[in-house]
Amino acid sequence: MPHRPVRRLVLASASPARLTLLRAAGLAPDVVVSGVDEDAVTGLAPADAARTLAERKAEAVGRRLADEPGDDGERPRALVVGCDSMLVIDGEVRGKPVSADQALAWWRAQRGRSGVLVTGHAVVDVTTGRRTSGVAETVVRFGCPSDAEIEAYIATGEPLGVAGACTIDGYGAPFVAGIEGDHGTVMGLSLPLLRTLLADLGVSITDLWVLPS
């Protein structure tokens, strides 16, 4: 029989990259999208905004799950992970582009330059109500794709769903010259930070692994 995790893990995000990261690390999260408006937080520094949005996403899903009875009639033994990412270049904050034209303009302006990918993380323990959060930052050095390459990349649709119109795990990978920090942060979730946050709540990430028999 496969080893089953001691707690249910829930990802409060529709991001396929985050789900892939968690699965590759031996975790088997359920996905429950929060529905939180990512444009609702304004006037904060990038790290504070990313953390706040991550907290709101995790808390929104946590409240929803708290109303669902567990298998034994008790409160659900779920841990909810919320994340939010944004790219910062010269003080300008870039979330997901609103259009292909905006993604195109961003890429033309950022090629050959560097930015900081900021990802907020939050974990809510639905059973106890305890919560914790943190922020991971990774420097991204962009390559110099041609206008034709940028246009082809935008045409894939991939840039429209990610912070700063870039990622390193898909079509955009050839256009990132390098990073300084955890690559998972650029994909939207830092596994080392997640391990630390789980430990803050008294949970070892190894207890959430799904292992083959």
Side-chain angles (χ1 to χ4, degrees):
M1 294 290 292
H3 171 273
R4 299 189 63 82
V6 299
R7 301 287 298 274
R8 178 190 180 195
L9 185 66
V10 177
L11 176 62
S13 170
S15 165
R18 292 183 179 124
L19 182 60
T20 296
L21 274 171
L22 291 171
R23 286 176 171 171
L27 307 171
D30 296 325
V31 173
V32 180
V33 180
S34 70
V36 167
D37 182 3
E38 296 183 358
D39 296 323
V41 174
T42 60
L44 297 179
D48 293 332
R51 183 199 293 260
T52 298
L53 282 168
E55 291 171 343
R56 290 187 181 182
K57 292 176 182 180
E59 290 165 0
V61 172
R63 287 193 297 270
R64 200 180 311 166
L65 295 179
D67 293 333
E68 299 177 359
D71 293 337
D72 55 3
E74 302 296 328
R75 285 176 67 88
R77 290 175 53 79
L79 295 159
V80 182
V81 177
C83 299
D84 189 82
S85 298
M86 55 190 67
L87 179 70
V88 183
I89 296 183
D90 293 339
E92 179 186 353
V93 178
R94 299 178 178 178
K96 296 175 184 176
V98 298
S99 66
D101 286 342
Q102 185 175 59
L104 184 66
W106 284 357
W107 260 102
R108 285 175 172 168
Q110 71 196 23
R111 55 185 165 188
R113 303 175 63 198
S114 294
V116 178
L117 206 297
V118 179
T119 297
H121 300 62
V123 182
V124 171
D125 186 331
V126 178
T127 305
T128 65
R130 293 179 63 200
R131 58 204 63 201
T132 186
S133 61
V135 177
E137 299 184 358
T138 294
V139 175
V140 181
R141 291 185 288 107
F142 298 102
C144 295
S146 66
D147 284 349
E149 288 174 324
I150 293 174
E151 290 168 4
Y153 179 43
I154 303 303
T156 68
E158 180 181 274
L160 299 181
V162 292
C166 74
T167 185
I168 61 172
D169 63 325
Y171 294 111
F175 309 135
V176 176
I179 64 172
E180 299 171 25
D182 175 24
H183 79 285
T185 303
V186 187
M187 294 173 63
L189 191 152
S190 168
L191 289 167
L193 178 54
L194 176 61
R195 182 190 66 81
T196 298
L197 296 178
L198 288 169
D200 288 345
L201 298 178
V203 179
S204 171
I205 197 168
T206 61
D207 290 335
L208 302 179
W209 283 346
V210 177
L211 301 174
S213 55

